[in-house]
Amino acid sequence: MRLDKFICKSTELTKAEAIQCIHAGEVIVNGETVTVESTQIHENNTITLNDKILKSRPFRYIVMHKPAGIVCSNIDGDYPSLFSLLENDSSIERTSELHIAGRLDVDTTGLVLITDDGRWTYNITRPDKQCTKTYRVGLSYSIAEDAVEALVERFKHGLQLQGENQLTLPALLEVLPAKTSNIKKGENQEVLLTITEGKYHQVKRMFAAVGNRVRTLHRERIGDIQLDVELGQWRYLTASEVSAFDK
Ligand code: URA
């Protein structure tokens, strides 16, 4: 981690104030004065600021149930930001240090993980880490029973998305029994899709690639974490939930 970031994490100082202290020679790393803010340090280094040993604050790991109409961004734009839901809660501070480990589109609902631990996020978002994300998808067009097997195979084999050089990684498609009553009312055919990547609009583009259209999209699971909080609510992950991603 960069020295200036470590100082912000372990004190109440802003980034500009941390850099000022570093330039002023007030910061010592393992007995040596360090005046370059980009110096990489490790959590087990001894770092002092004006002779006071700094201890990094623990990282935070949060699961939230994202409503539709909320944007996965740190700033409000056309829609309120996901972080505005956290900021309404006085029990959580320094929300500007948090980021989202795998964003959802503004119209998508469901499970979002939020943290200030960038290394942990890597384990969730990098495709080679094979972290599964399961979506419940409502489709515009129902899938005929005799077409299910071939469709499942196509998702498993990988799909060619527009504008991509490589096929999608193997995905697991489970077609849920169509509820005749719903289809008559013009409602969705539902499927579950489990993927290990997070390309831009990936699920919507995967169904577009097979001639269907996503009408509703809800993420219900990441790895072993199943969404268990009410819409718009959040909770901290347990230590074992956090460490399950440290592989
Ligand atoms: N895939 C999408 O198309 N949208 C999301 O929000 C998440 C996955």
Side-chain angles (χ1 to χ4, degrees):
M1 182 190 303
R2 282 170 59 113
L3 181 57
D4 51 0
K5 188 165 181 199
F6 176 85
I7 292 176
C8 292
K9 251 189 93 45
S10 51
T11 66
E12 297 296 321
L13 296 180
T14 63
K15 187 173 177 190
E17 289 165 342
I19 291 172
Q20 225 172 16
C21 294
I22 298 167
H23 288 179
E26 293 167 12
V27 178
I28 295 178
V29 179
N30 291 342
E32 302 268 341
T33 303
V34 174
T35 54
V36 179
E37 64 270 23
S38 60
T39 302
Q40 287 294 318
I41 54 99
H42 300 281
E43 306 260 330
N44 59 359
N45 291 156
T46 304
I47 298 161
T48 61
L49 170 64
N50 291 325
D51 301 327
K52 188 171 163 262
I53 294 186
L54 300 183
K55 289 262 171 281
S56 179
R57 282 187 288 230
F59 286 122
R60 293 168 293 170
Y61 306 91
I62 288 168
V63 55
M64 181 182 265
H65 188 160
K66 176 193 173 298
I70 295 283
V71 67
C72 279
S73 151
N74 286 64
I75 41 170
D76 294 332
D78 292 341
Y79 298 93
S81 135
L82 191 73
F83 293 95
S84 62
L85 301 180
L86 287 176
E87 279 153 11
N88 291 339
D89 191 325
S90 58
S91 71
I92 185 152
E93 294 173 339
R94 297 174 286 111
T95 52
S96 64
E97 291 174 16
L98 296 166
H99 63 263
I100 296 163
R103 293 162 187 233
L104 294 177
D105 297 336
V106 72
D107 55 345
T108 304
T109 58
L111 195 162
V112 175
L113 296 176
I114 301 169
T115 184
D116 45 11
D117 182 353
R119 288 235 301 248
W120 187 77
T121 298
Y122 243 51
N123 293 335
I124 293 163
T125 53
R126 270 185 43 173
D128 60 322
K129 296 287 180 182
Q130 298 275 303
C131 174
T132 56
K133 291 105 189 166
T134 301
Y135 294 86
R136 183 172 288 267
V137 190
L139 295 170
S140 286
Y141 309 114
S142 54
I143 301 162
E145 238 171 78
D146 59 1
V148 169
E149 204 181 314
L151 193 63
V152 169
E153 265 317 299
R154 286 184 73 186
F155 276 78
K156 190 170 157 197
H157 174 259
L159 297 168
Q160 182 62 57
L161 302 187
Q162 244 183 6
E164 301 288 343
N165 295 327
Q166 285 173 341
L167 295 184
T168 53
L169 292 175
L172 175 67
L173 176 69
E174 295 162 76
V175 177
L176 301 176
K179 291 185 204 123
T180 326
S181 55
N182 284 1
I183 288 175
K184 272 198 202 126
K185 280 192 268 159
E187 288 180 1
N188 308 333
Q189 156 102 52
E190 270 195 335
V191 300
L192 293 178
L193 180 66
T194 300
I195 59 176
T196 55
E197 304 169 277
K199 290 191 166 77
Y200 181 66
H201 291 331
Q202 174 144 354
V203 175
K204 291 174 185 163
R205 289 162 73 206
M206 286 174 89
F207 283 99
V210 295
N212 213 317
R213 193 171 154 269
V214 171
R215 284 177 55 168
T216 57
L217 188 54
H218 175 80
R219 184 157 66 196
E220 55 182 40
R221 179 182 274 268
I222 296 184
D224 288 337
I225 299 177
Q226 183 85 32
L227 187 59
D228 59 1
V229 284
E230 296 294 319
L231 191 68
Q233 302 297 305
W234 63 276
R235 68 170 174 86
Y236 286 110
L237 295 183
T238 63
S240 65
E241 285 173 327
V242 172
S243 60
F245 291 105
D246 283 332
K247 287 181 206 135

